[in-house]
Amino acid sequence: MIEPIKITLGQIGWDAVSAVSGLLIAALGFRISRSLRRREQQSQRYMLLAEYRKEIIAYSREFFEIVSDALSVRSRSESAGKAIQELDRLSTRLSSLVDTGRFLFPNDIGGSNAFGFEKGPAFAGRRRPALDAILAAHYALEAMKREGDAAKPFLEKALRELRKTNQPLTPPIRRSDPVYLLIQSRRCFLNVVVPDTFPRDWLAMFSTLLGPIEGTEGTLD
């Protein structure tokens, strides 16, 4: 049978107690300091994310406006020449927007996507899905400028870029309808951008703030 160990203050001494207490206080202080550093780092990340979201929102607004303007051109009664001229201007803006987007959505050069460095640092790797969606819109506008067989290659390119986003397309898929493809580019863009710029804890916070949606089933858009 193991005899219990008895410790008395007289045997240990107040110096030993003071030393142990100091160690406990130091350990507690270390834990508090580490917790504060983690909170500070998390706060800094959220500040950076908030600033990034501002840039993304401004960038997205321009993309949405171009898409809306293109859809408006199709709905207005204008001469073919004037409509093509306007679509050409909007298509050029979309092409420029893809290049500008490389500052916000740099190519992925990690893992299996580490290729193409001979093209230069801006073009190495795999393009981000958000830019694929904008490029799909560009090709859709190019198809809208043409008719028949001349539009077919651009319709195929638009659909291919939409597939690269790995986002669902609204059924039925209308491969030969540039307006459909243009609208899908906007949907795909939102689907790939929102989750990356809206963390789950933010989503939960706003869900709590706004409250539940009642009287409907599913999500309507």
Side-chain angles (χ1 to χ4, degrees), residues 24-42:
L24 292 175
I25 293 173
L28 180 61
F30 175 77
R31 292 187 60 182
I32 293 175
S33 177
R34 184 173 61 177
S35 177
L36 290 175
R37 284 199 302 271
R38 286 178 178 176
R39 291 186 180 183
E40 183 180 0
Q41 290 173 354
Q42 185 180 36

Side-chain angles (χ1 to χ4, degrees), residues 26-84:
L28 180 61
F30 175 77
R31 292 187 60 182
I32 293 175
S33 177
R34 184 173 61 177
S35 177
L36 290 175
R37 284 199 302 271
R38 286 178 178 176
R39 291 186 180 183
E40 183 180 0
Q41 290 173 354
Q42 185 180 36
S43 176
Q44 290 175 349
R45 285 195 296 269
Y46 278 128
M47 287 177 62
L48 289 173
L49 180 58
E51 291 299 319
Y52 178 66
R53 290 185 77 242
K54 290 181 181 179
E55 298 293 333
I56 294 296
I57 290 172
Y59 179 82
S60 302
R61 184 182 296 115
E62 183 176 0
F63 173 52
F64 298 151
E65 288 176 353
I66 294 173
V67 172
S68 296
D69 288 346
L71 294 173
S72 177
V73 170
R74 288 287 295 225
S75 64
R76 296 198 302 262
S77 298
E78 295 181 344
S79 64
K82 187 175 181 180
I84 291 176

Side-chain angles (χ1 to χ4, degrees), residues 135-180:
L135 192 56
H138 164 70
Y139 288 133
L141 260 63
E142 288 298 312
M144 290 170 66
K145 292 162 46 181
R146 297 164 172 83
E147 296 182 358
D149 292 339
K152 187 175 180 180
F154 295 98
L155 293 170
E156 293 174 348
K157 289 180 180 180
L159 185 58
R160 183 173 66 247
E161 295 301 325
L162 289 177
R163 297 291 193 191
K164 288 181 182 179
T165 67
N166 294 319
Q167 298 301 319
L169 304 180
T170 304
I173 297 176
R174 302 194 294 275
R175 301 170 180 269
S176 59
D177 184 353
V179 173
Y180 166 85

Side-chain angles (χ1 to χ4, degrees), residues 98-149:
V98 172
D99 288 333
T100 305
R102 295 183 185 277
F103 291 99
L104 296 174
F105 305 102
N107 286 8
D108 181 9
I109 57 174
S112 61
N113 295 328
F115 60 85
F117 289 96
E118 69 280 359
K119 301 177 183 178
F123 299 94
R126 191 176 301 279
R127 190 169 52 238
R128 299 286 177 177
L131 301 186
D132 291 331
I134 297 177
L135 192 56
H138 164 70
Y139 288 133
L141 260 63
E142 288 298 312
M144 290 170 66
K145 292 162 46 181
R146 297 164 172 83
E147 296 182 358
D149 292 339

